[in-house]
Amino acid sequence: MEWKIAVALCLGLGILPAAVLADDAELIARGKYLATAADCVACHTTPEGKPFAGGVEFKLPFGSLYSPNITPDPETGIGNWTDDDFVSAMHAGVGKDGKRYYPAFPYTSYTLMPEEEVLAIRAYLASLQPVKQTPPENTLSFPFNQRWGMVFWNLLFHDNERFSADPQQSTQWNRGAYLVEGPGHCAECHTPRNLFQALKSSESLAGNLVQGWQAYNISSDSEYGVGAWSEAELVAYMRQGHAPGKGVAAGPMAEVVSKSLRHLEQDDLSAIATYLLSTPAQQSGVARPEIRQQHMPGAAQASLGSKVFADACVSCHRWDGAGNQSPVATLAGLKTVNDPAATNLLGILLKGHSEAAQAVDQRMPSFAQAYSDPELAAVSSFVLQHFGQSGGAVTAADVAAKRGNTGH
């Protein structure tokens, strides 16, 4: 009888303790799927930390933000939050005790989710093992460290509204639109931001630089976006992290594939692809290079870059741009080799590309320790000029700067 009274009191306060929520397996399973679609674990879990315990650093032009602990620990997590607290955080960006969040937390996308789906995520989080961990304090400079200023930011840039289906579109299209714009929050990385860190709605999905990596244009434009991709190629990319001759997920995108997209149902991935291929074309960002016949450089063209490529790369990447051993190693047609700044190319060379979920022939090691800055600069320039059409050139200073940003 006592536990029933306690539960009744908790329900009256809008608090659903983990013991109660754990009895609703269907609700928790639904919440887990939605939390996966929203990729919550990526932003709330450090590389060596416990899931959802927070502490992930987000470097901004005016300081760093650290993600909060969202396990059900009552002291350092969200264990003593009410339903209303959680819904308010997800929809309005205002958490317990009126604490206002910065838009690095994508509540501007999560606001599209209906309340019942938000509460399903809450049920899943409440079913997890509590972790007692306090994230580091934010290091934002004045005036950005004044949370009350978010009142005015929300008035200007946040519409606290739920997703509304377009009756002129198919059920699949609407499902894709909901997943992309809502829980998937794709625009948060793939859309440029203005001076106030709000998304530029006029450039939706046009691409953006995020944490030192290019989040490429994923609008329907055939040259700059994904308009030249088939639905099957987009689904394969989201499921496996690659589409030969079109794209290879690396950096933060590889993590999105590994921890979120590859776990989604096939119908949902198809819906996402359908929607992306229908979005307004944005002609900006890194263009996809034309695939053209490439040959091995002759002796007169030999250089440090081609030598490093011959020594370290040809076992996986052929001179003509095709993949050697695996089509995943195809370089021809990738935006990575056509970005004159070599943003993602350098990131991959220094950090590698070796998610545990990938097959051995789909992984790439880090070359940060094996090669010097001049050598990596030379091979990067060679790749850009041999496989791309941007004419880009990389210097040793560029590599050194990238090493500093990636910790290598």
Side-chain angles (χ1 to χ4, degrees):
M1 179 62 71
E2 290 182 354
W3 72 267
K4 291 184 179 179
I5 294 174
V7 168
L9 288 172
C10 287
L11 291 174
L13 294 172
I15 301 173
L16 296 180
V20 177
L21 292 169
D23 290 336
D24 195 335
E26 183 177 347
L27 179 65
I28 291 172
R30 180 62 178 160
K32 180 178 180 179
Y33 184 81
L34 289 165
T36 300
D39 203 17
C40 302
V41 71
C43 288
H44 293 274
T45 309
T46 59
E48 305 300 327
K50 294 183 179 180
F52 303 103
V56 175
E57 181 181 12
F58 294 87
K59 295 181 180 179
L60 303 173
F62 35 81
S64 290
L65 289 172
Y66 294 87
S67 62
N69 180 340
I70 56 171
T71 72
D73 181 69
E75 295 180 17
T76 64
I78 58 173
N80 64 351
W81 284 36
T82 67
D83 284 355
D84 288 343
D85 290 335
F86 193 80
V87 171
S88 177
M90 294 284 280
H91 281 171
V94 182
K96 188 174 180 60
D97 300 325
K99 182 178 181 179
R100 293 188 173 274
Y101 292 103
Y102 296 102
F105 168 51
Y107 64 88
T108 49
S109 293
Y110 294 157
T111 192
L112 296 176
M113 300 177 69
E115 185 171 314
E116 58 268 25
E117 296 212 332
V118 170
L119 290 177
I121 292 177
R122 167 164 159 72
Y124 166 63
L125 294 176
S127 73
L128 301 175
Q129 184 69 31
V131 178
K132 188 177 293 297
Q133 175 177 296
T134 302
E137 291 292 329
N138 296 333
T139 59
L140 299 182
S141 59
F142 183 85
F144 302 101
N145 59 353
Q146 303 299 303
R147 288 184 181 271
W148 59 265
M150 291 305 300
V151 172
F152 303 102
W153 191 95
N154 284 338
L155 287 173
L156 291 172
F157 303 114
H158 180 49
D159 296 324
N160 189 349
E161 298 175 351
R162 274 14 99 215
F163 178 79
S164 179
D166 184 345
Q168 303 300 316
Q169 299 288 350
S170 67
T171 299
Q172 183 180 39
W173 185 95
N174 276 298
R175 176 63 176 171
Y178 170 69
L179 289 170
V180 168
E181 297 177 6
H185 62 280
C186 303
E188 301 288 341
C189 287
H190 291 274
T191 298
R193 293 181 181 269
N194 62 25
L195 178 64
F196 302 99
Q197 295 301 297
L199 299 179
K200 294 182 179 179
S201 58
S202 62
E203 300 178 38
S204 180
L205 306 180
N208 191 30
L209 186 66
V210 179
Q211 300 293 308
W213 292 82
Q214 281 288 346
Y216 293 126
N217 183 328
I218 56 170
S219 75
S220 66
D221 188 79
S222 59
E223 181 179 1
Y224 292 92
V226 296
W229 297 45
S230 68
E231 181 178 307
E233 287 173 325
L234 277 171
V235 170
Y237 178 85
M238 290 184 283
R239 177 72 72 197
Q240 303 166 2
H242 59 82
K246 296 292 175 61
V248 176
M253 190 63 207
E255 188 174 39
V256 172
V257 170
S258 175
K259 296 181 178 179
S260 176
L261 291 173
R262 74 183 183 92
H263 300 287
L264 300 189
E265 297 170 357
Q266 185 74 15
D267 286 349
D268 279 346
L269 294 179
S270 295
I272 290 172
T274 295
Y275 176 69
L276 289 177
L277 290 171
S278 76
T279 56
Q282 302 284 355
Q283 298 181 336
S284 62
V286 178
R288 180 174 177 266
E290 294 180 7
I291 299 178
R292 60 189 183 186
Q293 187 66 36
Q294 299 286 356
H295 303 283
M296 178 178 176
Q301 296 176 300
S303 65
L304 176 59
S306 61
K307 180 182 183 303
V308 174
F309 189 87
D311 292 344
C313 308
V314 293
S315 60
C316 294
H317 307 286
R318 285 169 33 179
W319 295 100
D320 63 1
N324 197 21
Q325 303 179 42
S326 170
V328 179
T330 299
L331 294 177
L334 300 185
K335 291 182 179 181
T336 305
V337 303
N338 207 43
D339 175 9
T343 306
N344 290 3
L345 176 60
L346 286 176
I348 294 171
L349 286 172
L350 291 169
K351 293 183 69 69
H353 181 235
S354 55
E355 289 288 331
Q358 294 173 309
V360 174
D361 64 353
Q362 298 173 12
R363 302 179 188 178
M364 179 168 167
S366 165
F367 291 96
Q369 304 304 321
Y371 289 90
S372 66
D373 291 351
E375 288 172 323
L376 291 180
V379 74
S380 297
S381 296
F382 171 78
V383 168
L384 292 177
Q385 294 163 18
H386 188 71
F387 300 107
Q389 286 101 51
S390 69
V394 180
T395 68
D398 295 331
V399 180
K402 192 72 172 183
R403 279 187 194 270
N405 289 333
T406 61
H408 289 282

